Amino acid sequence: MAKKKLVILSGAGISAESGIPTFRASDGLWEGHDVMEVATPQGWKNNPELVLEFYNQRRKRALEVVPNRAHEICAELEEYFDVQIITQNVDNLHERGGSTNILHLHGELFKSRSTADPNLVYEMDGWELNMGDLCEKGSQLRPHIVWFNEAVPLIVPAMELSEKADIFIVVGTSLQVYPAADLINYVPETSLKFVVDLNLPAVPDRKNLFMIQGKATTGMQKVLETLLERKAHL
Ligand code: NAD
């Protein structure tokens, strides 16, 4: 029998226990910066050096940390289900945790992109991207990140995956960033839905919805156990 389709929508909270701070952690600042300065097209226009340095520091940090048990559970679920990750995270901890199908809705930290041609995307070797680093057409490279106020190119495939999910797990996201926050509304009524978060976000009361308050590692363990108990009936 074909494996059931399981979709995981993850956010910054799944990487928190690995040591990467979440965005909305405390004061509306992201690692001490106003997001408008470091994660918008306007910020890039005003001060590209600051933006490049901000992402250089994020890359440096990402190289120092390792995936946690929640990332590993996402990968282990592939043994039982046809798993697709939709992540809002720009780190590569799902890849390093062993997951194979990952859609990065908001871009990837370890890729750079031409400012002249958005189709020119490059894998990065190390952590540094600087002014003067150019694409093959001679234009400045920028981080391959979907900034606030930019379109989300992969939202349509993400919606299509959500519509087909038999099981949908939301983990570690405040559901404050649209259009990602809307994806749960595309999941069929009959599908099983789990929301795992330290501070559970508000989601409309739906059929087959399980809210699990707690850390991503312990919450995902509960999801795994629940799914394995019910597997025969799914
Ligand atoms: P967010 O910061 O808005 O929300 C994080 C959520 O994680 C909150 O609901 C919080 O309660 C929860 N959380 C914190 N620690 C947790 C833990 N240990 N276990 C479970 N839940 C925990 O993050 P978001 O919803 O992903 O949106 C922020 C945006 O910022 C995203 O678009 C993302 O691209 C970007 N961002 C990415 C990273 C990353 O790649 N790791 C980190 C910070 C921000």
Short mmCIF file of all heavy atoms in Angstrom, two decimals, residues 10-17 20-25 30-31 58 87-93 106-107 109 145-146 148 171-177 196-201 214-217, ligand 1:
data_model
loop_
_atom_site.label_atom_id
_atom_site.label_comp_id
_atom_site.label_asym_id
_atom_site.label_seq_id
_atom_site.Cartn_x
_atom_site.Cartn_y
_atom_site.Cartn_z
N SER A 10 7.47 23.68 9.35
CA SER A 10 8.30 24.04 10.51
C SER A 10 8.69 25.52 10.48
O SER A 10 8.70 26.15 9.42
CB SER A 10 9.56 23.16 10.56
OG SER A 10 10.41 23.43 9.47
N GLY A 11 8.98 26.02 11.68
CA GLY A 11 9.43 27.39 11.82
C GLY A 11 10.62 27.48 12.76
O GLY A 11 11.16 26.44 13.20
N ALA A 12 11.01 28.68 13.08
CA ALA A 12 12.23 28.92 13.84
C ALA A 12 12.30 28.11 15.15
O ALA A 12 13.38 27.73 15.59
CB ALA A 12 12.37 30.41 14.14
N GLY A 13 11.13 27.82 15.75
CA GLY A 13 11.10 27.09 17.03
C GLY A 13 11.70 25.70 16.96
O GLY A 13 12.19 25.19 17.96
N ILE A 14 11.70 25.08 15.78
CA ILE A 14 12.27 23.72 15.71
C ILE A 14 13.79 23.76 15.82
O ILE A 14 14.43 22.80 16.25
CB ILE A 14 11.82 22.95 14.44
CG1 ILE A 14 12.05 21.44 14.63
CG2 ILE A 14 12.51 23.46 13.19
CD1 ILE A 14 11.48 20.56 13.53
N SER A 15 14.38 24.90 15.48
CA SER A 15 15.85 25.02 15.56
C SER A 15 16.31 25.67 16.87
O SER A 15 17.51 25.77 17.10
CB SER A 15 16.37 25.81 14.36
OG SER A 15 16.11 25.13 13.15
N ALA A 16 15.35 26.09 17.71
CA ALA A 16 15.72 26.81 18.94
C ALA A 16 16.58 25.94 19.86
O ALA A 16 17.58 26.41 20.42
CB ALA A 16 14.46 27.27 19.66
N GLU A 17 16.22 24.66 20.01
CA GLU A 17 16.98 23.79 20.91
C GLU A 17 18.36 23.43 20.34
O GLU A 17 19.19 22.86 21.05
CB GLU A 17 16.17 22.53 21.23
CG GLU A 17 15.01 22.81 22.16
CD GLU A 17 14.02 21.66 22.19
OE1 GLU A 17 14.25 20.72 22.95
OE2 GLU A 17 13.02 21.73 21.45
N ILE A 20 19.78 28.13 17.75
CA ILE A 20 19.52 29.25 16.86
C ILE A 20 18.30 29.99 17.40
O ILE A 20 17.21 29.42 17.46
CB ILE A 20 19.24 28.79 15.41
CG1 ILE A 20 20.46 28.03 14.86
CG2 ILE A 20 18.91 29.98 14.51
CD1 ILE A 20 20.32 27.61 13.41
N PRO A 21 18.47 31.24 17.83
CA PRO A 21 17.34 31.95 18.43
C PRO A 21 16.19 32.13 17.44
O PRO A 21 16.42 32.24 16.23
CB PRO A 21 17.93 33.32 18.79
CG PRO A 21 19.40 33.16 18.74
CD PRO A 21 19.68 32.05 17.77
N THR A 22 14.96 32.15 17.97
CA THR A 22 13.81 32.42 17.11
C THR A 22 13.77 33.92 16.83
O THR A 22 14.51 34.70 17.43
CB THR A 22 12.50 31.99 17.78
OG1 THR A 22 12.36 32.70 18.99
CG2 THR A 22 12.49 30.50 18.06
N PHE A 23 12.91 34.27 15.94
CA PHE A 23 12.84 35.65 15.50
C PHE A 23 12.07 36.50 16.52
O PHE A 23 12.52 37.55 16.96
CB PHE A 23 12.20 35.65 14.11
CG PHE A 23 11.67 36.95 13.65
CD1 PHE A 23 12.41 38.10 13.78
CD2 PHE A 23 10.42 37.01 13.07
CE1 PHE A 23 11.91 39.31 13.34
CE2 PHE A 23 9.91 38.21 12.63
CZ PHE A 23 10.65 39.35 12.77
N ARG A 24 10.90 35.98 16.94
CA ARG A 24 10.06 36.76 17.82
C ARG A 24 10.35 36.45 19.29
O ARG A 24 9.47 36.50 20.13
CB ARG A 24 8.58 36.43 17.54
CG ARG A 24 7.89 37.51 16.78
CD ARG A 24 6.64 36.96 16.14
NE ARG A 24 6.93 36.55 14.79
CZ ARG A 24 6.87 37.36 13.76
NH1 ARG A 24 6.50 38.62 13.91
NH2 ARG A 24 7.16 36.94 12.55
N ALA A 25 11.61 36.08 19.56
CA ALA A 25 11.97 35.61 20.89
C ALA A 25 11.62 36.60 21.99
O ALA A 25 11.04 36.25 23.00
CB ALA A 25 13.44 35.27 20.94
N TRP A 30 15.54 41.06 15.81
CA TRP A 30 16.09 39.78 15.38
C TRP A 30 17.59 39.88 15.61
O TRP A 30 18.28 40.60 14.91
CB TRP A 30 15.76 39.54 13.91
CG TRP A 30 16.13 38.17 13.43
CD1 TRP A 30 16.74 37.17 14.14
CD2 TRP A 30 15.90 37.64 12.13
NE1 TRP A 30 16.90 36.06 13.36
CE2 TRP A 30 16.40 36.31 12.12
CE3 TRP A 30 15.33 38.14 10.96
CZ2 TRP A 30 16.34 35.50 11.00
CZ3 TRP A 30 15.28 37.33 9.84
CH2 TRP A 30 15.77 36.02 9.87
N GLU A 31 18.05 39.15 16.66
CA GLU A 31 19.47 39.20 17.03
C GLU A 31 19.95 40.64 17.18
O GLU A 31 21.01 41.02 16.68
CB GLU A 31 20.31 38.47 15.97
CG GLU A 31 19.89 37.03 15.75
CD GLU A 31 20.68 36.03 16.57
OE1 GLU A 31 21.65 36.44 17.23
OE2 GLU A 31 20.30 34.85 16.57
N ARG A 58 24.66 34.98 10.72
CA ARG A 58 23.68 33.88 10.83
C ARG A 58 24.29 32.58 10.29
O ARG A 58 24.09 31.51 10.82
CB ARG A 58 22.39 34.18 10.04
CG ARG A 58 21.66 35.46 10.39
CD ARG A 58 20.91 35.38 11.71
NE ARG A 58 21.78 35.41 12.87
CZ ARG A 58 22.45 36.50 13.32
NH1 ARG A 58 22.36 37.64 12.69
NH2 ARG A 58 23.21 36.43 14.39
N THR A 87 9.54 24.25 5.16
CA THR A 87 10.12 25.00 6.27
C THR A 87 10.21 26.49 5.97
O THR A 87 10.50 26.89 4.84
CB THR A 87 11.50 24.45 6.70
OG1 THR A 87 11.91 25.11 7.89
CG2 THR A 87 12.57 24.62 5.62
N GLN A 88 9.93 27.27 7.03
CA GLN A 88 10.15 28.71 6.92
C GLN A 88 11.59 29.05 7.30
O GLN A 88 12.01 30.19 7.19
CB GLN A 88 9.20 29.45 7.86
CG GLN A 88 7.74 29.23 7.54
CD GLN A 88 6.85 29.71 8.68
OE1 GLN A 88 6.48 30.87 8.75
NE2 GLN A 88 6.50 28.81 9.57
N ASN A 89 12.30 28.03 7.77
CA ASN A 89 13.67 28.27 8.23
C ASN A 89 14.63 28.36 7.06
O ASN A 89 14.49 27.66 6.06
CB ASN A 89 14.12 27.16 9.17
CG ASN A 89 13.33 27.17 10.46
OD1 ASN A 89 12.63 28.15 10.73
ND2 ASN A 89 13.41 26.12 11.23
N VAL A 90 15.62 29.19 7.25
CA VAL A 90 16.64 29.33 6.21
C VAL A 90 17.89 28.52 6.56
O VAL A 90 18.79 28.38 5.74
CB VAL A 90 16.97 30.83 5.98
CG1 VAL A 90 15.74 31.57 5.48
CG2 VAL A 90 17.51 31.50 7.24
N ASP A 91 17.93 27.98 7.78
CA ASP A 91 19.07 27.12 8.13
C ASP A 91 18.94 25.78 7.40
O ASP A 91 17.93 25.50 6.74
CB ASP A 91 19.16 26.93 9.66
CG ASP A 91 17.99 26.14 10.24
OD1 ASP A 91 17.66 25.08 9.70
OD2 ASP A 91 17.39 26.59 11.24
N ASN A 92 19.99 24.93 7.52
CA ASN A 92 19.96 23.65 6.80
C ASN A 92 19.87 22.46 7.76
O ASN A 92 20.35 21.37 7.46
CB ASN A 92 21.19 23.54 5.87
CG ASN A 92 22.49 23.67 6.64
OD1 ASN A 92 22.49 23.71 7.88
ND2 ASN A 92 23.61 23.71 5.93
N LEU A 93 19.24 22.68 8.93
CA LEU A 93 19.22 21.62 9.94
C LEU A 93 18.29 20.46 9.56
O LEU A 93 18.52 19.33 9.98
CB LEU A 93 18.86 22.20 11.31
CG LEU A 93 19.94 23.15 11.87
CD1 LEU A 93 19.51 23.72 13.22
CD2 LEU A 93 21.29 22.44 12.01
N HIS A 106 11.15 30.30 2.58
CA HIS A 106 11.73 31.62 2.75
C HIS A 106 13.21 31.69 2.35
O HIS A 106 13.93 32.58 2.79
CB HIS A 106 11.54 32.10 4.20
CG HIS A 106 10.11 32.32 4.55
ND1 HIS A 106 9.64 32.37 5.84
CD2 HIS A 106 9.02 32.51 3.76
CE1 HIS A 106 8.34 32.58 5.83
NE2 HIS A 106 7.93 32.66 4.58
N GLY A 107 13.63 30.73 1.53
CA GLY A 107 15.00 30.78 1.02
C GLY A 107 15.97 29.97 1.86
O GLY A 107 15.59 29.29 2.80
N LEU A 109 19.95 29.96 3.64
CA LEU A 109 21.10 30.72 4.13
C LEU A 109 22.37 30.43 3.33
O LEU A 109 23.18 31.33 3.10
CB LEU A 109 21.29 30.30 5.59
CG LEU A 109 21.95 31.20 6.61
CD1 LEU A 109 21.45 32.62 6.52
CD2 LEU A 109 21.72 30.62 8.01
N ILE A 145 17.38 34.73 0.15
CA ILE A 145 16.41 34.76 1.24
C ILE A 145 15.19 35.52 0.74
O ILE A 145 15.33 36.51 0.02
CB ILE A 145 16.98 35.55 2.46
CG1 ILE A 145 18.31 34.96 2.96
CG2 ILE A 145 15.95 35.67 3.58
CD1 ILE A 145 18.22 33.69 3.75
N VAL A 146 14.00 35.03 1.12
CA VAL A 146 12.78 35.78 0.83
C VAL A 146 12.61 36.78 1.97
O VAL A 146 12.33 36.40 3.11
CB VAL A 146 11.55 34.85 0.75
CG1 VAL A 146 10.29 35.67 0.51
CG2 VAL A 146 11.73 33.81 -0.34
N PHE A 148 11.00 40.11 4.06
CA PHE A 148 9.67 40.67 4.31
C PHE A 148 9.36 41.65 3.17
O PHE A 148 10.26 42.34 2.68
CB PHE A 148 9.62 41.37 5.67
CG PHE A 148 9.75 40.39 6.82
CD1 PHE A 148 10.98 40.18 7.42
CD2 PHE A 148 8.67 39.66 7.27
CE1 PHE A 148 11.13 39.25 8.46
CE2 PHE A 148 8.80 38.73 8.30
CZ PHE A 148 10.03 38.53 8.90
N VAL A 171 5.10 22.84 13.45
CA VAL A 171 6.01 22.80 14.60
C VAL A 171 6.90 24.04 14.68
O VAL A 171 7.55 24.40 13.70
CB VAL A 171 6.83 21.48 14.63
CG1 VAL A 171 7.53 21.19 13.32
CG2 VAL A 171 7.85 21.47 15.77
N GLY A 172 6.84 24.70 15.85
CA GLY A 172 7.77 25.81 16.12
C GLY A 172 7.56 27.04 15.27
O GLY A 172 8.53 27.69 14.89
N THR A 173 6.32 27.37 15.00
CA THR A 173 6.09 28.63 14.28
C THR A 173 4.98 29.43 14.94
O THR A 173 3.97 28.87 15.35
CB THR A 173 5.79 28.40 12.77
OG1 THR A 173 5.33 29.63 12.20
CG2 THR A 173 4.76 27.32 12.54
N SER A 174 5.20 30.73 15.02
CA SER A 174 4.21 31.62 15.65
C SER A 174 3.01 31.85 14.73
O SER A 174 2.03 32.45 15.14
CB SER A 174 4.87 32.96 15.97
OG SER A 174 5.34 33.55 14.77
N LEU A 175 3.11 31.39 13.49
CA LEU A 175 2.04 31.61 12.50
C LEU A 175 1.68 33.08 12.38
O LEU A 175 0.52 33.46 12.28
CB LEU A 175 0.81 30.74 12.80
CG LEU A 175 1.02 29.22 12.68
CD1 LEU A 175 -0.25 28.45 13.03
CD2 LEU A 175 1.48 28.81 11.29
N GLN A 176 2.71 33.90 12.39
CA GLN A 176 2.53 35.35 12.25
C GLN A 176 2.93 35.81 10.86
O GLN A 176 2.67 36.94 10.48
CB GLN A 176 3.45 36.09 13.25
CG GLN A 176 3.16 35.81 14.69
CD GLN A 176 2.02 36.64 15.21
OE1 GLN A 176 1.99 37.84 15.02
NE2 GLN A 176 1.08 35.99 15.85
N VAL A 177 3.65 34.95 10.14
CA VAL A 177 4.17 35.37 8.83
C VAL A 177 3.31 34.75 7.73
O VAL A 177 3.18 33.52 7.65
CB VAL A 177 5.66 34.93 8.67
CG1 VAL A 177 6.19 35.34 7.29
CG2 VAL A 177 6.53 35.56 9.77
N VAL A 196 2.56 21.82 17.31
CA VAL A 196 3.52 21.68 18.42
C VAL A 196 4.23 23.01 18.61
O VAL A 196 4.84 23.53 17.66
CB VAL A 196 4.58 20.60 18.08
CG1 VAL A 196 5.62 20.51 19.19
CG2 VAL A 196 3.94 19.24 17.83
N ASP A 197 4.16 23.57 19.83
CA ASP A 197 4.84 24.84 20.08
C ASP A 197 4.91 25.09 21.58
O ASP A 197 4.04 24.66 22.34
CB ASP A 197 4.08 26.00 19.41
CG ASP A 197 4.97 27.21 19.16
OD1 ASP A 197 5.34 27.90 20.13
OD2 ASP A 197 5.31 27.45 17.99
N LEU A 198 5.97 25.80 21.99
CA LEU A 198 6.08 26.19 23.40
C LEU A 198 4.93 27.09 23.80
O LEU A 198 4.38 26.96 24.90
CB LEU A 198 7.38 27.01 23.58
CG LEU A 198 8.61 26.31 24.10
CD1 LEU A 198 9.72 27.33 24.28
CD2 LEU A 198 8.35 25.57 25.40
N ASN A 199 4.59 28.04 22.96
CA ASN A 199 3.43 28.92 23.17
C ASN A 199 2.51 28.71 21.98
O ASN A 199 2.74 29.29 20.92
CB ASN A 199 3.87 30.39 23.21
CG ASN A 199 4.83 30.63 24.34
OD1 ASN A 199 4.51 30.43 25.50
ND2 ASN A 199 6.05 31.03 23.99
N LEU A 200 1.50 27.89 22.18
CA LEU A 200 0.68 27.49 21.04
C LEU A 200 0.06 28.69 20.33
O LEU A 200 -0.55 29.55 20.97
CB LEU A 200 -0.42 26.54 21.51
CG LEU A 200 0.07 25.14 21.87
CD1 LEU A 200 -1.03 24.36 22.58
CD2 LEU A 200 0.54 24.37 20.64
N PRO A 201 0.23 28.78 19.01
CA PRO A 201 -0.39 29.88 18.27
C PRO A 201 -1.90 29.62 18.15
O PRO A 201 -2.35 28.49 18.29
CB PRO A 201 0.27 29.80 16.90
CG PRO A 201 0.70 28.38 16.75
CD PRO A 201 0.98 27.86 18.14
N GLY A 214 4.66 22.45 24.17
CA GLY A 214 5.94 21.97 24.70
C GLY A 214 7.05 22.26 23.71
O GLY A 214 6.83 22.87 22.66
N LYS A 215 8.23 21.81 24.09
CA LYS A 215 9.39 21.99 23.20
C LYS A 215 9.23 21.14 21.95
O LYS A 215 8.56 20.10 21.98
CB LYS A 215 10.65 21.55 23.92
CG LYS A 215 11.07 22.45 25.05
CD LYS A 215 12.33 21.89 25.66
CE LYS A 215 12.81 22.77 26.79
NZ LYS A 215 13.97 22.19 27.47
N ALA A 216 9.92 21.54 20.90
CA ALA A 216 9.82 20.80 19.64
C ALA A 216 10.28 19.35 19.83
O ALA A 216 9.67 18.43 19.29
CB ALA A 216 10.67 21.49 18.58
N THR A 217 11.34 19.13 20.63
CA THR A 217 11.87 17.77 20.78
C THR A 217 10.84 16.85 21.47
O THR A 217 10.55 15.77 20.97
CB THR A 217 13.17 17.77 21.60
OG1 THR A 217 12.96 18.57 22.76
CG2 THR A 217 14.33 18.35 20.80
P1 NAD B 1 8.92 33.00 15.02
O1 NAD B 1 10.18 33.43 15.67
O2 NAD B 1 7.91 34.00 14.64
O3 NAD B 1 8.18 31.97 16.00
C1 NAD B 1 8.89 30.96 16.65
C2 NAD B 1 7.92 30.04 17.36
O4 NAD B 1 8.69 29.01 17.95
C3 NAD B 1 7.10 30.71 18.47
O5 NAD B 1 5.74 30.35 18.33
C4 NAD B 1 7.71 30.12 19.75
O6 NAD B 1 6.73 29.94 20.76
C5 NAD B 1 8.20 28.78 19.26
N1 NAD B 1 9.31 28.20 20.01
C6 NAD B 1 10.39 28.80 20.57
N2 NAD B 1 11.22 27.89 21.11
C7 NAD B 1 10.64 26.68 20.89
C8 NAD B 1 11.00 25.34 21.20
N3 NAD B 1 12.13 25.04 21.85
N4 NAD B 1 10.17 24.35 20.84
C9 NAD B 1 9.00 24.62 20.17
N5 NAD B 1 8.61 25.86 19.85
C10 NAD B 1 9.42 26.87 20.21
O7 NAD B 1 9.34 32.09 13.83
P2 NAD B 1 8.62 31.75 12.47
O8 NAD B 1 7.17 31.53 12.71
O9 NAD B 1 9.43 30.66 11.87
O10 NAD B 1 8.79 33.08 11.57
C11 NAD B 1 9.96 33.85 11.60
C12 NAD B 1 10.64 34.14 10.28
O11 NAD B 1 12.02 34.40 10.58
C13 NAD B 1 10.64 32.99 9.31
O12 NAD B 1 10.19 33.49 8.11
C14 NAD B 1 12.09 32.53 9.17
O13 NAD B 1 12.50 32.53 7.82
C15 NAD B 1 12.92 33.54 9.89
N6 NAD B 1 13.85 32.90 10.87
C16 NAD B 1 14.50 31.74 10.56
C17 NAD B 1 15.34 31.11 11.49
C18 NAD B 1 16.02 29.81 11.11
O14 NAD B 1 16.24 29.54 9.94
N7 NAD B 1 16.38 28.96 12.09
C19 NAD B 1 15.52 31.68 12.74
C20 NAD B 1 14.85 32.88 13.04
C21 NAD B 1 14.03 33.47 12.09
#
